[in-house]
Amino acid sequence: MIYLVHPDFFSQTRLGRFAFLDPFNEANLDASYQLRNGYYAIADGGIFGKGFGNSVQKLGFLPESHTDFISAVISEELGIMGILVTLSLILFFIWKAFHIALRSQSAFDTSICIGFATWIAVQTFLNLGGVSGMIPLTGVPLPFISFGGTSIITLSCGVGFLISAERQITLTERRNTHANQQ
């Protein structure tokens, strides 16, 4: 309770974290600069976009356009249709990971597949939620799309686990089919 009545609790820096609630308020212009430029990029793209490589916001108006706000650049270049295609590919990947988990005979493989699919789903939600202004910006990259060495390495390891689980399922099915034929 003492923390709430402390004079620094309502400082301008801390209140700036809530700039996503009203990014066009004149008191929040500095704190919401990136979110507003993301909105401009999304609005400029329209339904079909400006064309691949024709984004204006990524040329310096939108900070970190290659990491956190790559979905705003995709929206500007390829439009809402490009975002829908990107999102549908990510959702297909999540579905495939759950499908592998359901078919697996190993508890370890099932756990890895469900964990990886959940990780991709949460990371996608946090990125798209931050870019759309529904939740505060968190700095989470869009899986498989955003620039970043650590993100790509960890995602590649996760894909390797998925491939290994799928191969184990295939080998088990082949053994069972071969044993039934004899």
Short mmCIF file of all heavy atoms in Angstrom, two decimals, residues 19 25-34 36:
data_model
loop_
_atom_site.label_atom_id
_atom_site.label_comp_id
_atom_site.label_asym_id
_atom_site.label_seq_id
_atom_site.Cartn_x
_atom_site.Cartn_y
_atom_site.Cartn_z
N ALA A 19 1.17 4.18 -22.59
CA ALA A 19 0.93 5.00 -23.78
C ALA A 19 0.17 4.24 -24.85
O ALA A 19 -0.47 4.86 -25.70
CB ALA A 19 2.26 5.51 -24.34
N ASN A 25 -2.44 10.85 -27.74
CA ASN A 25 -2.54 11.88 -26.73
C ASN A 25 -1.26 12.71 -26.73
O ASN A 25 -0.16 12.16 -26.80
CB ASN A 25 -2.76 11.22 -25.36
CG ASN A 25 -3.01 12.23 -24.26
OD1 ASN A 25 -2.98 13.44 -24.48
ND2 ASN A 25 -3.29 11.72 -23.08
N GLU A 26 -1.38 14.02 -26.66
CA GLU A 26 -0.20 14.88 -26.75
C GLU A 26 0.77 14.66 -25.61
O GLU A 26 1.96 14.89 -25.76
CB GLU A 26 -0.63 16.34 -26.82
CG GLU A 26 -1.26 16.68 -28.15
CD GLU A 26 -1.48 18.17 -28.31
OE1 GLU A 26 -0.79 18.96 -27.65
OE2 GLU A 26 -2.33 18.53 -29.12
N ALA A 27 0.31 14.20 -24.46
CA ALA A 27 1.21 13.93 -23.33
C ALA A 27 2.03 12.66 -23.56
O ALA A 27 3.07 12.47 -22.92
CB ALA A 27 0.40 13.80 -22.04
N ASN A 28 1.60 11.80 -24.47
CA ASN A 28 2.27 10.52 -24.71
C ASN A 28 3.03 10.46 -26.03
O ASN A 28 3.40 9.37 -26.46
CB ASN A 28 1.24 9.38 -24.72
CG ASN A 28 0.56 9.19 -23.41
OD1 ASN A 28 1.13 9.49 -22.37
ND2 ASN A 28 -0.66 8.70 -23.46
N LEU A 29 3.25 11.56 -26.68
CA LEU A 29 3.82 11.52 -28.03
C LEU A 29 5.20 10.87 -28.07
O LEU A 29 5.51 10.13 -29.01
CB LEU A 29 3.86 12.92 -28.63
CG LEU A 29 2.50 13.50 -28.99
CD1 LEU A 29 2.67 14.88 -29.63
CD2 LEU A 29 1.72 12.59 -29.93
N ASP A 30 6.04 11.12 -27.09
CA ASP A 30 7.37 10.51 -27.10
C ASP A 30 7.29 9.02 -26.79
O ASP A 30 7.97 8.21 -27.41
CB ASP A 30 8.28 11.19 -26.08
CG ASP A 30 8.70 12.58 -26.53
OD1 ASP A 30 8.63 12.85 -27.75
OD2 ASP A 30 9.10 13.39 -25.67
N ALA A 31 6.47 8.65 -25.82
CA ALA A 31 6.39 7.25 -25.40
C ALA A 31 5.70 6.38 -26.44
O ALA A 31 5.92 5.18 -26.49
CB ALA A 31 5.66 7.14 -24.06
N SER A 32 4.86 6.97 -27.27
CA SER A 32 4.10 6.17 -28.24
C SER A 32 4.57 6.38 -29.68
O SER A 32 3.85 6.03 -30.61
CB SER A 32 2.62 6.52 -28.13
OG SER A 32 2.40 7.87 -28.48
N TYR A 33 5.77 6.89 -29.87
CA TYR A 33 6.28 7.18 -31.21
C TYR A 33 6.29 5.93 -32.10
O TYR A 33 5.81 5.94 -33.23
CB TYR A 33 7.68 7.78 -31.11
CG TYR A 33 8.32 8.07 -32.43
CD1 TYR A 33 7.97 9.21 -33.15
CD2 TYR A 33 9.26 7.21 -32.98
CE1 TYR A 33 8.55 9.48 -34.38
CE2 TYR A 33 9.85 7.48 -34.20
CZ TYR A 33 9.48 8.60 -34.90
OH TYR A 33 10.04 8.87 -36.11
N GLN A 34 6.83 4.84 -31.56
CA GLN A 34 6.96 3.62 -32.36
C GLN A 34 5.59 3.04 -32.68
O GLN A 34 5.34 2.60 -33.81
CB GLN A 34 7.80 2.61 -31.60
CG GLN A 34 8.16 1.40 -32.42
CD GLN A 34 9.20 0.54 -31.73
OE1 GLN A 34 9.58 0.79 -30.60
NE2 GLN A 34 9.66 -0.48 -32.42
N ARG A 36 2.69 4.64 -32.92
CA ARG A 36 2.00 5.49 -33.89
C ARG A 36 2.53 5.26 -35.29
O ARG A 36 1.76 5.16 -36.26
CB ARG A 36 2.13 6.97 -33.52
CG ARG A 36 1.20 7.38 -32.41
CD ARG A 36 1.27 8.86 -32.08
NE ARG A 36 2.56 9.16 -31.44
CZ ARG A 36 3.51 9.92 -32.00
NH1 ARG A 36 3.33 10.48 -33.15
NH2 ARG A 36 4.64 10.14 -31.36
#
